Amino acid sequence: LPINMQTLYKQCYEQEVGHTIKKSEIDPTEAAKYMKAKFAENGWHFLMFRINPDEFTFSSLQSLTLGLEADGYEIIVMTFDYLAMMSTKGFDNGGITGRDKQAMFKRTRNFMVMHHILFITPHQLSTEALGIERDRPNQFLNEILNRAYYNECKTIAHAADFEINIQKPIV
């Protein structure tokens, strides 16, 4: 959380003052106060929660969302780092590897769509994709495009509306 606050603060404050600042010199508590005030100027609020993914289920996510809406919040964007770590309790995999993950992604997507919430979550790539990155790094993004190289469940591609693949080249 302190690192997230420092990052958000740096991105916003540098735009305001017109020069760069060192992340290491930012007090996370002061950064949080600044961010809260800046967002509130335009009627926005952001909430960050730390959860135990071993115990947090789709039902927990649903309850959290409905509770916030009942408290008067209109949720525009929800980012979740990251959905695949969340417990799949309640989802039967029927003996097929990854079926529970696909069901969780699909249910989450459908729930968020019905509540008009942009839901963003990262996902790891499979070991096959990592092999491509190792063997043919300059072709990595072209080779994995539209091929569902997801870790633990290749069929998650059926539940995702949008996909962004990022490669950080190491020179």
Side-chain angles (χ1 to χ4, degrees):
L1 189 60
I3 293 168
N4 289 340
M5 275 300 113
Q6 289 171 317
T7 301
L8 287 168
Y9 176 84
K10 182 174 172 43
Q11 290 172 349
C12 290
Y13 192 70
E14 285 179 346
Q15 295 297 318
E16 190 174 302
V17 297
H19 61 82
T20 59
I21 53 174
K22 292 181 182 176
K23 202 171 178 180
S24 61
E25 296 175 359
I26 301 170
D27 175 11
T29 304
E30 291 302 313
K33 288 178 188 175
Y34 172 86
M35 293 305 298
K36 184 176 180 180
K38 274 299 189 191
F39 274 73
E41 284 176 8
N42 296 311
W44 291 88
H45 301 276
F46 64 92
L47 304 171
M48 292 184 176
F49 300 94
R50 182 177 298 258
I51 53 106
N52 178 350
D54 294 330
E55 298 171 4
F56 198 81
T57 63
F58 173 74
S59 179
S60 306
L61 180 62
Q62 200 173 23
S63 295
L64 175 64
T65 305
L66 294 173
L68 289 169
E69 289 177 337
D71 289 343
Y73 288 97
E74 177 188 11
I75 305 171
I76 305 297
V77 178
M78 183 182 292
T79 59
F80 197 96
D81 187 19
Y82 63 98
L83 191 64
M85 285 183 66
M86 192 167 78
S87 170
T88 57
K89 181 181 172 186
F91 294 106
D92 180 27
N93 73 355
I96 299 172
T97 303
R99 181 179 273 178
D100 53 348
K101 296 277 186 205
Q102 181 186 6
M104 182 173 60
F105 269 74
K106 182 180 176 185
R107 280 282 244 353
T108 302
R109 179 218 176 265
N110 292 343
F111 177 78
M112 295 300 171
V113 166
M114 294 307 296
H115 288 261
H116 307 290
I117 299 170
L118 171 61
F119 185 80
I120 302 170
T121 187
H123 195 75
Q124 302 271 331
L125 293 175
S126 67
T127 52
E128 293 93 351
L130 298 177
I132 292 169
E133 181 181 29
R134 182 190 63 241
D135 299 337
R136 297 177 301 283
N138 295 333
Q139 294 299 313
F140 177 69
L141 292 178
N142 291 331
E143 290 201 28
I144 68 166
L145 185 64
N146 297 319
R147 296 214 179 115
Y149 279 110
Y150 295 111
N151 190 31
E152 298 179 351
C153 182
K154 292 183 178 186
T155 55
I156 288 175
H158 301 301
D161 287 324
F162 193 77
E163 179 181 302
I164 299 172
N165 290 296
I166 300 172
Q167 180 182 17
K168 293 188 335 185
I170 298 171
V171 180

